[in-house]
Amino acid sequence: MANSGRKAKPLAVQESKRRVHISNAEKEARRAREAAIGGTTDHMAPPRYLATQKLKSRYSEIVSLLRAASEQLCTDLDVDAVARYVIEEDEYIAASSALRKARRDKEELKTIESMQRLKNAAFKCVDTSAKSIGLTVDARLRFDLREPEQDKPENRFARFQVANGR
């Protein structure tokens, strides 16, 4: 079974913990695979199904927040996920305001309870979407947002390895 066991961690995370036990050739092949998965940022415009200008501006705001955190965090592959979050967030806000209005107008208890269930369902959808695109604290902790090291520090023992013929 190919998907059993632990989830593979990105090579950068493994290297930061100094737990990489693979050859340099395997490292390069893995870096190439990870770079191909990353995606581009050529088409980050709001999708057409975001109908109102309010939704489009919220989409652009979230994309800019994610891109400010890291260039790798939001790519073309994430456009639909961010758009779904924006739509679900809008539905949650609408459900919350309708529930507040119903409580102010002292509607029937049955109506208020059904509206509360709708609001709770909308909140669960918003929360799930927020986690999937990294807008919650827990989700952000999963990401390795450090930039890759450009040059490695000098190995203090390199001169001894050269002297011993290694």
Side-chain angles (χ1 to χ4, degrees), residues 5 13 24 29 40 65 81 92 96-97 107 120 129 132 145 153 156 164:
V13 173
N24 287 338
T40 62
L65 287 172
Y92 171 73
S96 295
S97 64
E107 301 256 342
N120 290 344
S129 292
S132 71
L145 298 178
R156 296 184 296 178
N164 290 335

Side-chain angles (χ1 to χ4, degrees), residues 50 93 103 108 110 155 165:
L50 291 179
I93 291 170
R103 286 181 177 159
E108 292 181 14
K110 198 173 201 178
N155 184 354

Side-chain angles (χ1 to χ4, degrees), residues 85 88-90 92 121-131:
Y85 170 77
E88 290 167 359
E89 181 186 48
D90 188 55
Y92 171 73
F123 177 78
K124 287 179 185 176
C125 290
V126 168
D127 191 45
T128 303
S129 292
K131 287 177 184 175

Side-chain angles (χ1 to χ4, degrees), residues 21-133:
H21 303 290
I22 58 178
S23 69
N24 287 338
E26 290 173 317
K27 286 181 187 179
E28 291 304 318
R30 188 154 173 191
R31 278 192 187 100
R33 279 196 315 267
E34 289 176 4
I37 291 173
T40 62
T41 57
D42 298 338
H43 308 290
M44 296 300 293
R48 282 182 277 145
Y49 56 84
L50 291 179
T52 65
Q53 187 59 37
K54 180 177 120 180
L55 293 177
K56 289 178 183 179
S57 65
R58 181 67 176 147
Y59 169 87
S60 298
E61 179 184 335
I62 291 173
V63 166
S64 65
L65 287 172
L66 292 172
R67 304 263 316 139
S70 173
E71 292 290 320
Q72 304 163 352
L73 195 53
C74 190
T75 63
D76 291 340
L77 302 172
D78 304 315
V79 167
D80 285 329
V82 175
R84 273 193 306 274
Y85 170 77
V86 169
I87 291 170
E88 290 167 359
E89 181 186 48
D90 188 55
E91 289 176 358
Y92 171 73
I93 291 170
S96 295
S97 64
L99 179 63
R100 275 194 300 271
K101 184 179 182 305
R103 286 181 177 159
R104 259 190 318 237
D105 296 344
K106 298 187 179 177
E107 301 256 342
E108 292 181 14
L109 183 61
K110 198 173 201 178
T111 305
I112 291 176
E113 286 175 350
S114 66
M115 293 177 97
Q116 183 67 46
R117 279 193 296 274
L118 287 173
K119 179 187 168 203
N120 290 344
F123 177 78
K124 287 179 185 176
C125 290
V126 168
D127 191 45
T128 303
S129 292
K131 287 177 184 175
S132 71
I133 61 174

Side-chain angles (χ1 to χ4, degrees), residues 4-24:
S4 63
R6 289 187 195 164
K7 293 182 181 179
K9 293 181 181 176
L11 189 59
V13 173
Q14 290 181 345
E15 286 177 339
S16 70
K17 293 181 180 180
R18 294 181 174 83
R19 294 184 182 184
V20 182
H21 303 290
I22 58 178
S23 69
N24 287 338

